[in-house]
Amino acid sequence: MTQENEMQEKHAPVGPDGLFYEDIILGDTFVTSAHEITREGIATFGSVTLDDHPLHTDDSFAKAAGFPGIIAHGLFGLSLMEGLKTTLHLYDKSSIASLGWDKVKFLHPILPGDRVHVEMTFTAARESRSRPAGIVTEVVHLVRGDGTELISAEHLSFIRKRDANTAYRDQ
């Protein structure tokens, strides 16, 4: 079994409907599969967001700035973190909204050829005062295959409650 597969298997069980607010256990950690960063992906992100800064498009410029070549946009990495989290299918039937990202830190450059994954841990949860739902805080890290943390952040998710008779962890 590869280290990547071992990491992916180290997470709490998720029911067939994913997680609802009642299913959240503080401290549970989830790890996604790896994704390879490509020059094409960086270029596509730049095109879609209209960010064609030469750090992301011109190897010579990026090298003159002290990088080995072009680097991915920080927001590319943050967006990728959300995308990789969705591959876990945690909130397929329970997500109401993302309430935002806090404490975002771009720690190291993201380079073409990097294989990255997300590590996410539930750190706080509180019931909503206005809806049958809860607000869940996730600490999220984008990590290169060699263990280097590239981005760290906190994410707030607004998650629906389910009927108590069908709570996954009570079955």
Side-chain angles (χ1 to χ4, degrees):
M1 181 179 291
T2 68
Q3 180 181 9
E4 186 176 303
N5 287 340
E6 288 174 9
M7 290 177 62
Q8 187 177 5
E9 291 180 6
K10 292 181 181 177
H11 61 75
V14 177
D17 292 335
L19 299 177
F20 288 75
Y21 179 74
E22 297 90 339
D23 302 321
I24 302 299
I25 296 178
L26 300 185
D28 274 1
T29 297
F30 298 84
V31 178
T32 70
S33 296
H35 172 79
E36 185 169 346
I37 305 299
T38 65
R39 295 177 72 87
E40 296 79 14
I42 295 168
T44 298
F45 185 86
S47 176
V48 168
T49 61
L50 306 178
D51 182 349
D52 63 354
H53 190 281
L55 281 174
H56 314 302
T57 61
D58 183 332
D59 281 315
S60 297
F61 184 91
K63 287 177 183 177
F67 299 104
I70 66 165
I71 61 174
H73 313 68
L75 293 177
F76 172 97
L78 191 63
S79 297
L80 183 60
M81 289 166 74
E82 182 63 24
L84 286 170
K85 279 190 338 137
T86 65
T87 68
L88 295 169
H89 302 285
L90 299 178
Y91 308 132
D92 284 355
K93 296 186 179 181
S94 61
S95 179
I96 297 171
S98 169
L99 298 179
W101 291 82
D102 295 315
K103 300 180 183 175
V104 176
K105 303 273 189 219
F106 301 124
L107 303 169
H108 293 282
I110 303 169
L111 308 172
D114 281 349
R115 288 187 59 77
V116 299
H117 66 273
V118 164
E119 299 174 9
M120 182 199 85
T121 303
F122 295 125
T123 59
R126 71 169 179 84
E127 291 192 34
S128 170
R129 287 169 274 203
S130 62
R131 295 174 82 169
I135 298 168
V136 178
T137 303
E138 310 153 349
V139 171
V140 188
H141 306 278
L142 185 68
V143 181
R144 186 182 294 138
D146 66 2
T148 302
E149 185 177 7
L150 304 173
I151 300 176
S152 69
E154 285 186 356
H155 179 246
L156 298 176
S157 290
F158 197 27
I159 306 300
R160 254 188 313 172
K161 288 185 173 183
R162 73 162 95 214
D163 182 272
N165 294 329
T166 60
Y168 171 69
R169 296 192 192 245
D170 292 337
Q171 294 180 358

